[in-house]
Amino acid sequence: MCGIIGYIGKKQAKEVVIQGLKRLEYRGYDSAGVAFINGGLNVKKCKGKVSSLESLLHESENGHIGIGHTRWATHGEPNDINSHPHTSSNGKLAVVHNGIIENYNSLKKKLESEGYKFYSETDTEILAKLIESFLDKYPEIALEKSVQMATAQVSGTYGLAVVHEEEADKIVVARKGSPLLIGVGEDEMLIASDASAVAEYTDKVIYLDDGELAVITRDSYQVLNSEEIELSKEIHELAMSLEEIEKGGFPYFMLKEIFEQPKTISDSLRGRLNVGEVSITLGGLENVMEKLVKANRIIIAACGTSWHSGLVGEYLFEWLAKVPVEVEYASEFRYKDPLIREDDVLIVISQSGETADTLAALREAKEKGATVLGIVNVVGSTIARETDAGVYLHSGPEIGVASTKAFTGQVTVLTLIALSLGLQKGTIDKAEAGRIIRALSTIPNKIEEILEQSLKIKEIADLFTYAPNFLYLGRSYNFPVALEGALKLKEISYIHAEGYPAAEMKHGPIALIDEMMPVVVIAATEHTNDKMVSNIEEIKARKGRIIAIATPNNNEVMDLAEFSITIPETEDVLSPLLSVIPLQLLSYYIAVNRGCNVDQPRNLAKSVTVE
Ligand code: F6R
């Protein structure tokens, strides 16, 4: 949420900051702003997209140092005044901020009583005035000292960047709870809330940790902890190509990411799946495998789509490894004072690795003594760094706000962990494991086959573009897929949709079914097919419009359905990896037909770094 970029160095800051903001726009897009120092401080900001901001910029808004921000509003509606950067009363200092300052009201009152005036409804403006107040009181101190004094007074979360026209050789940044990294270049430095904004300028990054503050000049960086002791930080190498963060000829990132799935799943499997030997290699879990084998219970905590993949994980672990699993919304887990025993293992799942609620769940469980594992996509993210061990998805950057390839990457990794655990515990025999492993290796090709039907899926989407409601039903492994299909549709097309376990329909949602109601039924697991057929009959009897996702030989389902999308046969446990693909495409085409910006749906943002 909210994107932050900063540049100091040999180039004109404007080109780097604007380009960085475009790369970060998926993190928030209700307003944007920049501050450059060129003699004096120059600030430009406005409601709307980065392209609106760009049209406001003149030659003079430039220089070799600048910061920028794309906003996802927390305090105060999206408008020009509430946009970042926020400035000091004397107009010499500018701040961009991601996070929430929780005690802003009391600080504001205090500063107002000292004569500082506030213009916006944001919590961020408090930071600009608070830093200024220290510089006013102690004119001899450097900008970094005033930032350190200000952050010591605020509670809440922040990733922030500050520039001052009288100290125009530096950007000061600080982090608590919101991600920030430094990009180290040749005679230039960048700061950003995520790596995609710096990847085209450098492949060397330093991740800041909570409580750290850094002073960046064009040829140096100094990172201090909260006691002002200088730290020696590891420089990481970024493995992110420009191609990965561009649309590559697709109209939207979401469509590109849907079509990337055969490759991203192959990347998730590479070096991990040993078909001949019937074994799984997960280097990241080696040190904790014993703990996992002995676990009496696995708790999975995640949000949104990642929570849905966690629900698939529950079926996988219970079926393959015979271990009880509880799947929790990370936001609920944290505040219920969870009961955690020593032999519990918590798995957190997060594409971004920065989701505030998931991070809080991880910290809570760690504090209570649990072993915490991560299933994360973004390498070097906070969750990846704070977990005891984990497995990366290797899905590449996901930029479309609606998660697609991360979901299938997460389910792939969960399948690998469950299989590995089942083999080690002996809860699955080698022959069965061999069958599943062989089937898993063919999933990428099977997804290709589904993608080839995209035109047919678009035709169905054309017919239902203006439906006001949708119902999605699935059983067993495909119940979470029903939830995921409904979430995809509502978030990008703004159509109300519900996902339900098919049998639960009789306990309420059946009242909604009439000849206007599209019902997507996922009939993709053999062991529940008969029951699913009965549910489809019940819908048909009430004239619901059935769109079935079924395997090609499932004539019973296809004869009942008004429309069918076929997915290749696979093992039941792997069916979510296939059944979700048509649902992603269906929601994509409906949203495009409705004229929605599918990559940047209203009110949403990628990477939810506030609670
Ligand atoms: C939905 C979506 C969100 C995320 C959720 C968790 O398409 O993308 O529901 O899944 O915000 O994000 P991560 O996985 O980054 O923790």
Side-chain angles (χ1 to χ4, degrees), residues 298-319 323-330 345-351 358 373-376 393 403-404 406-415 417-418 476-484 487-488 573 576-577 580:
I298 291 176
I299 305 165
I300 298 178
C303 303
T305 287
S306 299
W307 183 76
H308 296 158
S309 68
L311 290 176
V312 178
E314 177 177 359
Y315 288 93
L316 289 166
F317 281 113
E318 296 200 344
W319 181 257
V323 53
V325 177
E326 280 169 33
V327 185
E328 302 267 5
Y329 282 115
V345 170
L346 179 84
I347 300 180
V348 287
I349 306 177
S350 175
Q351 186 287 128
T358 311
L373 313 182
I375 297 178
V376 174
L393 307 185
S403 190
T404 52
F407 175 80
T408 49
Q410 290 162 348
V411 173
T412 302
V413 167
L414 284 159
T415 309
I417 302 175
S476 170
Y477 296 99
N478 286 302
F479 153 53
V481 176
L483 296 178
E484 176 60 7
L487 177 64
K488 285 294 86 95
V573 286
L577 291 168
V580 75

